[in-house]
Amino acid sequence: MKLTHALPLTALVAAVSAAAQAQEITVATVNNNDMVIMQSLTDEFEQAHPGISVNWVVLEENVLRQRTTTDIATGGGQFDVMTIGTYEVPIWAERDWLVGLNGLPDAYQVDDLLRPVRDGLSRDGVLHALPFYGESSMLYYRQDLFDEHGIEMPEQPSWEEAREWASELHDPDNGLYGICLRGKPGWGENMAFVSTLVNTFGGRWFDEDWNPEIDSPEWQAAIEFYVDLLGNYGPPGASSNGFNENLALFSGGRCAMWVDATSAAGRLFDPSESDVADALGFSQAPIAETPKGSHWLWSWALAIPATSQQQDAAQQFITWATSREYIELVGERHGWTSVPPGTRTSTYEDERYIEAAPFASFVLDAMQNADPTDSTLKPSPYIGVQFAGIPEFQAIGTQVGQTIAAALTGQTTVEQALVSAQRSAERAMRQAGYYD
């Protein structure tokens, strides 16, 4: 009897060898829409890189930050790619926790990356993360409601005007709220917005000697305004609403106004994702005493922890996911309003994107005009618009976010919340050795 192999011996050996060499990378990312799209395109990456498979860990923003920070600080090695931001990259790079991205291929076109984003993800001129998307913040509003009530949006709205409009448009009996803002506690959730509010009210996190100023008159005025505004004209349970929750409310037609990330614009202008796509207006983030620091600058980026055992494969993934080719792929598959914004000059020169995204030039200007080195009315010693770029800020910002959320729910007064937050911040800064 003649025996036959299912595969020729050479093919069988090759298959076994390829299986032995296959690498799995674990990617930790946030559950924002752009990242969900990235996950949906995994097959495209794996087909182009047959020796690499991708395992996803998709988490809510606060949980992601806690998991990645703990893992990298302890050398856990759980992840090969981490989604982190403009705050973490310089701090973690200084501690040698991230792989420096020297020698990226010419085809990646590093010079195409927007300069403010690129600088924010670099240390000593070396990129330590690649930007997946970048953003500033802006005011979204219902143009149909503004027209109905005879309200005209100025080129630069003020917060007092926003409060007046919210009071006029607030109609909770019909499921419409005057304004939606972040209330969920977290240094990157409610405090991302609140920090810009404090900035424009003339406040700052620290004076030039690193003394916290959270109980200052400027903070007091800003937080009283915030609590009053959301308490009177916001949705119920605002203290539980972060970016994704407010995006769902606004896109469902439940908010007359919303101040948040420019990265939401693509989804809000997509009629398949948004009930208000045909009635959407946008403007600059409102200001109070000063325009300084009224809109933030942020990038969600992909970085490789130094503990990764699959660094070559991880770099192949992050260069793919942040490339011009990836943007083209998303545009073709999901529409040009869905491409990751705020990373590449070429995106803002692409007629397909410009035609689909009426907000494109506005967002580009907002990002280029946000200055993390000069974001407060009084001089400050830190870099950052919606955060202070020091390691201690993550804990301080989270603690302050919790006390402000407590004031928002009425568990404490604004004054008590800020006094408590001030004491906590002073203790943290003293323990960190900023002063005696």
Side-chain angles (χ1 to χ4, degrees):
M1 183 174 64
K2 184 177 180 181
L3 296 175
T4 59
H5 292 290
L7 285 172
L9 185 57
T10 53
L12 183 62
V13 170
V16 171
S17 176
Q21 294 175 5
Q23 302 175 74
E24 180 181 80
I25 58 171
T26 298
V27 179
T29 196
V30 66
N31 62 343
N32 291 350
N33 187 59
D34 292 277
M35 283 71 172
V36 172
I37 290 175
M38 175 170 59
Q39 186 183 7
S40 75
L41 295 172
T42 302
D43 287 350
E44 293 289 332
F45 172 77
E46 291 180 345
Q47 288 170 14
H49 303 80
I52 305 171
S53 62
V54 182
N55 174 44
W56 291 92
V57 178
V58 182
L59 302 166
E60 186 270 332
E61 185 169 324
N62 286 336
V63 177
L64 173 77
R65 289 189 162 116
Q66 183 180 32
R67 287 274 301 274
T68 54
T69 301
T70 299
D71 185 73
I72 203 161
T74 59
Q78 247 185 308
F79 308 112
D80 300 294
V81 174
M82 292 179 170
T83 304
I84 59 177
T86 314
Y87 166 72
E88 294 96 343
V89 172
I91 295 171
W92 292 7
E94 184 177 6
R95 298 181 177 189
D96 295 323
W97 288 351
L98 302 176
V99 175
L101 301 172
N102 286 310
L104 291 167
D106 291 342
Y108 183 73
Q109 297 179 295
V110 170
D111 290 341
D112 186 42
L113 300 177
L114 294 175
R115 175 58 67 177
V117 173
R118 181 177 168 186
D119 288 347
L121 300 176
S122 299
R123 173 169 166 74
D124 296 331
V126 177
L127 279 162
H128 284 77
L130 300 181
F132 182 65
Y133 72 78
E135 63 183 32
S136 185
S137 52
M138 64 196 289
L139 167 63
Y140 302 100
Y141 64 95
R142 289 275 301 278
Q143 185 69 64
D144 57 336
L145 297 177
F146 272 56
D147 291 345
E148 183 182 325
H149 287 77
I151 302 171
E152 186 172 339
M153 177 64 70
E155 184 177 346
Q156 174 59 76
S158 72
W159 274 112
E160 280 300 331
E161 288 173 320
R163 176 157 58 184
E164 291 174 14
W165 301 330
S167 68
E168 189 171 347
L169 300 173
H170 190 57
D171 187 10
D173 291 340
N174 289 303
L176 176 68
Y177 308 105
I179 193 164
C180 290
L181 300 169
R182 296 190 190 190
K184 180 188 290 185
W187 72 264
E189 278 283 10
N190 64 343
M191 295 315 298
F193 166 75
V194 168
S195 293
T196 62
L197 186 67
V198 168
N199 291 341
T200 194
F201 269 78
R204 55 186 175 177
W205 277 95
F206 305 99
D207 69 15
E208 291 181 280
D209 295 320
W210 291 105
N211 296 295
E213 289 200 335
I214 301 166
D215 61 352
S216 67
E218 294 86 359
W219 272 79
Q220 184 81 24
I223 304 309
E224 284 180 349
F225 179 89
Y226 167 74
V227 169
D228 176 76
L229 181 64
L230 265 188
N232 286 319
Y233 311 119
S239 63
S240 298
N241 294 342
F243 171 78
N244 282 324
E245 292 81 6
N246 283 320
L247 174 60
L249 283 168
F250 191 89
S251 64
R254 307 292 299 281
C255 309
M257 294 180 289
W258 178 36
V259 180
D260 212 298
T262 58
S263 58
R267 190 167 182 182
L268 292 176
F269 272 94
D270 183 348
S272 68
E273 299 275 356
S274 170
D275 295 338
V276 298
D278 295 330
L280 183 60
F282 57 89
S283 185
Q284 298 183 70
I287 63 172
E289 299 299 321
T290 176
K292 281 191 174 185
S294 60
H295 57 282
W296 67 62
L297 179 66
W298 181 257
S299 173
W300 277 116
L302 303 178
I304 305 170
T307 51
S308 170
Q309 300 300 306
Q310 312 287 353
Q311 293 182 14
D312 288 344
Q315 183 161 322
Q316 290 183 60
F317 176 79
I318 68 172
T319 52
W320 169 80
T322 61
S323 65
R324 289 184 65 171
E325 290 73 22
Y326 177 84
I327 290 172
E328 181 85 20
L329 177 63
V330 174
E332 291 175 354
R333 292 287 184 86
H334 295 271
W336 280 91
T337 58
S338 297
V339 304
T343 61
R344 289 185 171 273
T345 300
S346 56
T347 302
Y348 294 89
E349 296 172 345
D350 193 309
E351 290 298 329
R352 294 168 296 180
Y353 184 64
I354 294 170
E355 183 178 349
F359 51 84
S361 62
F362 178 91
V363 171
L364 182 61
D365 288 344
M367 292 190 63
Q368 291 178 329
N369 292 327
D371 187 354
T373 67
D374 185 22
S375 63
T376 55
L377 184 60
K378 299 175 184 176
S380 63
Y382 53 87
I383 293 175
V385 181
Q386 77 279 28
F387 59 81
I390 58 173
E392 294 75 22
F393 179 77
Q394 184 165 348
I396 291 172
T398 296
Q399 178 65 37
V400 175
Q402 291 167 348
T403 62
I404 289 176
L408 187 59
T409 60
Q411 297 176 39
T412 185
T413 66
V414 169
E415 184 176 2
Q416 290 169 338
L418 295 183
V419 167
S420 172
Q422 174 75 13
R423 289 173 180 166
S424 175
E426 287 175 348
R427 185 166 52 251
M429 295 298 281
R430 189 174 295 111
Q431 290 173 347
Y434 283 82
Y435 48 78
D436 296 331

